[in-house]
Structure formats: structure tokens, C-alpha cells
């Protein structure tokens, strides 16, 4: 796992490490970073410079560097095709860079009118790049260079981050509320799920009460297969874990040793105390429950102390589109990262750190300073 420290620090840690290792770059501040296509490296943007940085035990080294035509924006690295995407907000395009040659490859994608790109995420399975642009989440087809889909936010919301899971053909988007209700917004964000094959709302998700954007952008990561989704809230230094609903286990077929049901030709008389009428053929039976396709699921909302055990909400709202429907995600746990044993990642005096871990999306959070 690679992560940023302060303004120019790049570090790494492996599972089981007591401390991280890395070093500091001199000069311009790092504004964007992603795990590089080459193992052990991180790709960073510093002004108009795109750099490939190798992380050592006590230092970091710039191995390759490229001067961009304009200040670089968010990054997306595609190790499979060997391409790095860099947002050029000044010229409204996504610039393609060959990661092997570390040079522009001419495969630029023009952007239409709209806000500046705040993040990029690569969908390797379907050949698309997802871009967050203010109140709009866009998906661009790389082969054609055209906009494939656009999803818009509710009033007062903006798109904060998206995590694409190719195994389940799903994209998990965090819509973050920036308003001060009731003037603008409602104080509630949304975790919305999109089908990456059809580019439609998957009809499942969850509300994010209290996750506002006045103290920084939220972010999201997903485990391969889409079983668990992690949403970070910068406003209270918390991380909430959402789990996908588990399908019911089908009933086992009867074994030869099971009791044999009475023959249909033999009528069964009710007992003396059983005065209830026989069920009609159309009755669902005593074990049938109501249909539950629109069940609302409580979501752990962060409290003032960041414990993640406060208000609950339902899934009747929608981020870019409605998230009402069956299969909504439910919160499996939450709480301040300060109490999760994550000190290997962040020192006690750390403010904000960005994880750029390989295999998951980036996670951004604020960790509270240690208190007595």
C-alpha cells in the first residue's frame, strides 16, 4: 500500500509492518497521485510535471519525468493497457500517456462544457474512464473518445468519488452534500451503485447522513467482487463499511428419510379445536411474507464524536438517480479511524492522508490528532 504524507512525502507499508517507509520529494507540492504501472512506483503530478517515483526504505527517487502542456489534474493508471490518463482542465481534455515510453500517445479525449475534473477512475473491463465534474458523473468510451453516460446530482449535492469493480460490473459513487439546509441541499449524501455494462442505475445504495463536503471531499473503495464498500467522511474523520445483501440460501431438497406428506387423495380433517377454514388455492400460506422490494435499510450515520453510531436513514432518496429498491447496502460498521488500529498508516500528528492502494480505489480521510 502506498500513501501520501504532508505535501511532498510518499511512503509504503505492507501487511504486518509496524511502520511505513519512504521519503520526501523536494520542490513543488504533490497534487495528484496513483499507484504506477511499474511495480513499486507511484505516479504523481506536481504542477506541469508528471513523474514516476520509486519508493525506497529511506528515500524516494524520481525515475522518469514528463512536462505536460498545462498543469496536470487527476490521474487514472491502467496497468493492463499501459496507459496513464491525466486530466487537463485548462484545455478540457483527458490526456493519454504511454506508461512504457512515459510520453503522450495522442489518444486524448475531449471534454464537453462543464466543471473541472475532480477525479478519474478507470473501468478496465468495459474500456471506459469515469470522471467527476462537479454535479455530474461522466463515463467516457476510450475507443470512440465519446461521452457514454452522464449522471446528475440532486440539488446541493456534488460527486465526490467513484470506485469501479470489474468483477461485479458495478461502479460505486459517493454523492456528497455541500448545502446548508434548508437553503440548499438536505445535509444527506448518497452511495449510489451503477451497472457498468449497461450504464444504468442498479437500484441499490444507501444514504450518507452528515457526510458533507465543507471540510473536504469524501471517497470510496470496494473489495473485489463488490461485497464490501468503504466510504470515508472527511467531516468527522470516520470510515463506514457497507456490505452487500447476501442472497437467501435455497432450501435443501427432501431426503428419503424425511417424513412423507399425506397423499392428496386422503382428506385431512381438522382437529376438534381447529375451527379455521381450509385455505383457498390462491392464499399464499402462513409462511409467505409481504413483498419487500422497496425495503428501507437503516444506515449508521456518524455522530458528533465520529463514532458512527448515530442517526439512521432509509434508501428512499437518490444521488444521481433513485436508489430505492431491493438489495440496498447496509452499514456493517463505522467509527473513527483513530480507534481502528491504523496507526501504522498515519502518525499521531497527521492531518490528511490519501491512500493510493493497489487493488482498490483511493481512500481519503482525516485522522484526528491524538488526545489525552
Amino acid at each position: 500500500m502506498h500513501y501520501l504524507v504532508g505535501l511532498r512525502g510518499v511512503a509504503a507499508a505492507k501487511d504486518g509492518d509496524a511502520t511505513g517507509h519512504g521519503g520526501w520529494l523536494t520542490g513543488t507540492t504533490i497534487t495528484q497521485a496513483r499507484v504506477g504501472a511499474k511495480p513499486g512506483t507511484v505516479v504523481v503530478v506536481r504542477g506541469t510535471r508528471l513523474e514516476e517515483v520509486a519508493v525506497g526504505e529511506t528515500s524516494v527517487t524520481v525515475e522518469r519525468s514528463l512536462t505536460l502542456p498545462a498543469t496536470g489534474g487527476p490521474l487514472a493508471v491502467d496497468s493492463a493497457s499501459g496507459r496513464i490518463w491525466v486530466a487537463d482542465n485548462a484545455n478540457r481534455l483527458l490526456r493519454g500517456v504511454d506508461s512504457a515510453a512515459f510520453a503522450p500517445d495522442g489518444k486524448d479525449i475531449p471534454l464537453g462544457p462543464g466543471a473541472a475534473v475532480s477525479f478519474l477512475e478507470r473501468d478496465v473491463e468495459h474500456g471506459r474512464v469515469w470522471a467527476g465534474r462537479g454535479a455530474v458523473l461522466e463515463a467516457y468510451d476510450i475507443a470512440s473518445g465519446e461521452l457514454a453516460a452522464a449522471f446528475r446530482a440532486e440539488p446541493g449535492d456534488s460527486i465526490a468519488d467513484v470506485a469501479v469493480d470489474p468483477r461485479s460490473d458495478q461502479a460505486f459513487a459517493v454523492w456528497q452534500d455541500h448545502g446548508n439546509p434548508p437553503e440548499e441541499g438536505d445535509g444527506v449524501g448518497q452511495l449510489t451503485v451503477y451497472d457498468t455494462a449497461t450504464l444504468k442505475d442498479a437500484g441499490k445504495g444507501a444514504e450518507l447522513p452528515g457526510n458533507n463536503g465543507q471540510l473536504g471531499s469524501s471517497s470510496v473503495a470496494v473489495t473485489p467482487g463488490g461485497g464490501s464498500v468503504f466510504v470515508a467522511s472527511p467531516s468527522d474523520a470516520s470510515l463506514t463499511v457497507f456490505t452487500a445483501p447476501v442472497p437467501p440460501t435455497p432450501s435443501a431438497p427432501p431426503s428419503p428419510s424425511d417424513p412423507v406428506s399425506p397423499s392428496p387423495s386422503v382428506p385431512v380433517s381438522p382437529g376438534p379445536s381447529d375451527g379455521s377454514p381450509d385455505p383457498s388455492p390462491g392464499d399464499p400460506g402462513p409462511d409467505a411474507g409481504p413483498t419487500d422490494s422497496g425495503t428501507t435499510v437503516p444506515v449508521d450515520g456518524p455522530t458528533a464524536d465520529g463514532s458512527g453510531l448515530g442517526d439512521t436513514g432509509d434508501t428512499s432518496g437518490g444521488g444521481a438517480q433513485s436508489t430505492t429498491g431491493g438489495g440496498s447496502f447496509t452499514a456493517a460498521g463505522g467509527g473513527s479511524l483513530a480507534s481502528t488500529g491504523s496507526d501504522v498508516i498515519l502518525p499521531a500528528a497527521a492531518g490528511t492522508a490519501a491512500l493510493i492502494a493497489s487493488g482498490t480505489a483511493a481512500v481519503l480521510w482525516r485522522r484526528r490528532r491524538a488526545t489525552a
Side-chain angles (χ1 to χ4, degrees), residues 18 20 41 45 104 117 215 321 358:
T41 64
V45 170
V117 175
L215 294 177
Q321 301 177 23
S358 178

Side-chain angles (χ1 to χ4, degrees), residues 45 53 177 266:
V45 170
V53 179
D177 192 276
V266 180

Side-chain angles (χ1 to χ4, degrees), residues 20 66 74 89-90 117 150 201 295 298:
L66 167 66
N89 286 316
V117 175
D201 190 328
T295 302

Side-chain angles (χ1 to χ4, degrees), residues 74-174:
L75 295 168
V77 178
D78 180 6
S79 300
S81 66
R83 179 177 292 150
I84 302 168
W85 292 99
V86 187
D88 182 343
N89 286 316
N91 296 297
R92 270 194 200 159
L93 57 82
L94 302 181
R95 193 178 304 282
V97 175
D98 186 311
S99 60
F102 216 70
D105 61 8
K107 304 293 185 180
D108 299 343
I109 298 177
L111 302 174
V117 175
S118 58
F119 65 81
L120 291 177
E121 182 67 16
R122 179 76 169 91
D123 180 0
V124 179
E125 185 70 19
H126 300 97
R128 301 190 184 104
V129 177
W130 291 68
R133 302 183 69 191
V136 183
L137 174 62
E138 299 177 335
Y140 288 89
D141 182 79
I142 293 175
S144 66
E146 300 291 332
L147 178 66
F151 305 94
R152 297 189 177 275
E154 293 285 337
D157 286 3
S158 64
I159 184 66
D161 195 15
V162 69
V164 175
D165 175 45
R167 291 192 186 179
S168 62
D169 282 337
Q170 296 180 110
F172 301 84
V174 172

Side-chain angles (χ1 to χ4, degrees), residues 62-303:
V62 176
E63 293 195 334
R64 294 187 292 178
S65 183
L66 167 66
T67 300
L68 302 168
T71 299
L75 295 168
V77 178
D78 180 6
S79 300
S81 66
R83 179 177 292 150
I84 302 168
W85 292 99
V86 187
D88 182 343
N89 286 316
N91 296 297
R92 270 194 200 159
L93 57 82
L94 302 181
R95 193 178 304 282
V97 175
D98 186 311
S99 60
F102 216 70
D105 61 8
K107 304 293 185 180
D108 299 343
I109 298 177
L111 302 174
V117 175
S118 58
F119 65 81
L120 291 177
E121 182 67 16
R122 179 76 169 91
D123 180 0
V124 179
E125 185 70 19
H126 300 97
R128 301 190 184 104
V129 177
W130 291 68
R133 302 183 69 191
V136 183
L137 174 62
E138 299 177 335
Y140 288 89
D141 182 79
I142 293 175
S144 66
E146 300 291 332
L147 178 66
F151 305 94
R152 297 189 177 275
E154 293 285 337
D157 286 3
S158 64
I159 184 66
D161 195 15
V162 69
V164 175
D165 175 45
R167 291 192 186 179
S168 62
D169 282 337
Q170 296 180 110
F172 301 84
V174 172
W175 297 89
Q176 195 168 6
D177 192 276
H178 284 259
N180 296 310
E183 291 85 2
E184 182 185 12
D186 56 5
V188 179
Q190 298 288 336
L191 171 63
T192 309
V193 186
Y194 301 101
D195 186 311
T196 54
T198 63
L199 292 176
K200 302 290 185 182
D201 190 328
K204 54 186 176 181
E207 287 191 345
L208 301 171
N211 187 8
N212 65 69
Q214 296 183 10
L215 294 177
S217 294
S218 182
S219 58
V220 59
V222 57
T223 56
S228 296
V229 183
F230 304 87
V231 178
S233 171
S235 55
D236 66 353
S238 68
L239 183 69
T240 304
V241 184
F242 294 90
T243 56
V246 180
T249 304
S251 301
S255 66
S257 60
D258 289 341
V260 180
S261 302
S263 168
S265 61
V266 180
V268 180
S269 301
S273 61
D274 188 359
S276 58
D278 292 338
S280 65
D283 288 340
D287 295 331
T291 17
D292 213 12
S293 61
T295 302
T296 57
V297 181
V299 178
D300 289 344
T303 58

Side-chain angles (χ1 to χ4, degrees), residues 45-70:
V45 170
R46 297 202 289 163
T48 59
R49 304 293 293 176
L50 178 69
E51 299 173 333
E52 183 181 70
V53 179
V55 183
E57 287 297 320
T58 58
S59 64
V60 293
T61 305
V62 176
E63 293 195 334
R64 294 187 292 178
S65 183
L66 167 66
T67 300
L68 302 168

